[in-house]
Amino acid sequence: MQTTIKVGDSDVALDYNLAPQMVVFSHGFGVRSDSRGLFSGIVQALPHGWGSVQFDYDNFDIATNQLCVTPLAERIQRLKAVIDWARQQAGVETVNIVGHSLGCLVIAQLAPENIGKIILLAPPLALGSRFAEIYTKRPGAKHDGHTWILPRADGTTTVVDDEPFADLVSMDAEGELTKLAMFRPYSLILASADEVLPDADYTDILVMPSVNGMGIDSADHNFTGGSRGEVIRLVNQQLLGEEPAAQSA
């Protein structure tokens, strides 16, 4: 089902399925609400009695095929509004959250209260100049005035102004994940062959007692191919409170 909620000056579209146990999905940078199929696959395999909410952090223009990135503060505001909306729906008992990549850091910054399970998939530990270069050094990328125009592999164009881009680049990602673990327990699912975060060392976070860490061998950043089924299995086990036989990251 679909509906629209007002968040600040923006209309945010929700794609949802109501159930007593709800999962709100928080996607990463420059992608749509389904996280290029990652979240759609998880939604389709959710256990019986579990519902979902997917939404876009950014504004997509169908006519131009452009995705305009919103500032971090607005992303946090949208996540909070979606969680609040889910809590208010008839029959909903618990709201849980699954985040991927940059979407994990939005969750960490919000650190929502009265939440069920928090599951973070391949969160970045550091953004900085390398994060910017992943996008700005691609063929066809250009800087027009105060705006970056970034072509993407899926045929869309990501448009991001300098200020929100700088906010992301300067974020202390590891600090945010550490701080979240001090207030909210969460599960951390890592990709052992993460091409976006090849040098990430999660040791300091994994030793925290409130973090339940596990990894998937040979998984890339988006958990494609054979790792897709495994990440879905692990997410479901964490939602249900089961203890998986985690593989080494």
Side-chain angles (χ1 to χ4, degrees), residues 99 104 118-125 177 185-191 201-207 210-216 223 234 238 246-247 249:
C104 299
I118 298 177
I119 303 174
L120 307 183
L121 311 178
L125 286 185
L177 294 171
Y186 61 83
S187 298
L188 186 60
I189 302 178
L190 305 177
D201 182 356
Y202 295 87
T203 303
D204 290 344
I205 292 176
L206 291 171
V207 297
S210 57
V211 176
N212 182 20
M214 62 209 76
I216 300 177
F223 300 94
L234 290 178
Q238 294 306 295
Q247 301 179 37

Side-chain angles (χ1 to χ4, degrees), residues 29-30 69-72 75 102 127-137 141-143 146-150 158-171:
F29 179 82
V69 175
T70 58
L72 180 60
R75 301 170 100 80
L102 183 63
L127 297 175
S129 60
R130 187 181 182 280
F131 171 77
E133 289 174 359
I134 289 173
Y135 302 99
T136 60
K137 298 298 184 183
K142 63 180 181 179
H143 195 222
H146 298 288
T147 303
W148 279 100
I149 301 173
L150 311 171
T158 297
V159 179
V160 53
D161 290 340
D162 286 342
E163 187 172 347
F165 209 12
D167 286 344
L168 296 177
V169 168
S170 63
M171 185 190 301

